[in-house]
Amino acid sequence: MSDRSGIFAGNDPFVIAKTWMSDAQESELNDPNAIALSTVDAEGLPNARMVLLKDIEDAAFVFYTNYESAKAAELDGAGKAAFVMHWKSLRRQIRVRGLVSKEEGPQADAYYTSRSLKSRLGAWASQQSRPLSGRPALMAEVAKVTALHGPSPKRPPFWGGYRITPVEIEFWADGAFRLHDRFVWRRPTVESAWDVSRLNP
Ligand SMILES: Cc1cc2nc3c(=O)[nH]c(=O)nc-3n(C[C@H](O)[C@H](O)[C@H](O)COP(=O)(O)O)c2cc1C
C-alpha cells in the first residue's frame, strides 16, 4: 500500500478517523459527528437512522440511545451494525461494519451527566420508537419526570451507549472525474491484525 499517503496515511484506522472527524469539525455546517446507523431486524430487513457519534476510542466507536428503542432491539438481536458518515464540506466518507456491545457503565453515566438537564430529563420522558398519542402527552411526561427526578437525575437504566468494534473501516475521498480514492481496512475478527487494500472507485 505504498501509495496510501496524505489524508489516508498511517498505521491505525482509528487515528485516521479521529483526524478526519476533527477536520470535519472545522468545516461542517452542523453535526459533523452525525452517522447513519444501519441495523437489521429479526426478518433481515435493513433499517437506518441518524445518531450522533460521541466517541472515537482507541479501538471502537460509541453512540448513545434508548435501550428500548427499535434500533436497540435490532442491535441486540443481531449483535452487529454498520454506519456511514459523509461530510459534504470535505467530500469524504467513512464506512464502518462491526460487532456491537453496550456501554452502560461509568462512561455512560459520565456522558449522561455531561448533557443539559433538559436532555437528561428528555431521556427519561421519551419512550423512544413507541407510539405517542400527541405532543401534550410527551410534555406531561416531561413534567412528571422533572418532578420525580429533580435537578440531578440519574441515568435511566433504559438509556446508554453502544460500542461498535469494527471488522471493516473504509475511508473514501472524492477524486476528479469520479476517480475517488478508497482504502478499506479489514480483519477477520476484532482481535486480528488489519489488512489494508485500495479499492476501485
Ligand atoms: C442528526 C440526528 C442526530 C440524531 N442523534 C440521535 C442519537 O444520538 N441518539 C438517538 O437515539 N437518536 C438520535 N436521533 C434520532 C434517530 O434518528 C431516530 O429517530 C431515533 O433514535 C429512533 O430510531 P429507532 O426507532 O430506529 O430506534 C438523531 C436524529 C438526527 C437527524
Side-chain angles (χ1 to χ4, degrees), residues 31 34 47 49-52 63-66 69-72 74 128-129:
D31 292 337
N47 208 347
R49 82 291 284 155
M50 305 305 295
V51 296
L52 297 178
F63 64 90
Y64 290 86
T65 193
N66 183 303
S69 63
K71 82 178 79 50
E74 293 166 4
Q128 194 176 61
S129 311

Side-chain angles (χ1 to χ4, degrees), residues 143-165:
K144 198 173 104 188
V145 298
T146 301
L148 201 63
H149 298 285
S152 46
K154 279 207 173 107
R155 179 176 61 85
F158 55 81
W159 189 98
Y162 280 99
R163 176 173 283 115
I164 301 180
T165 303

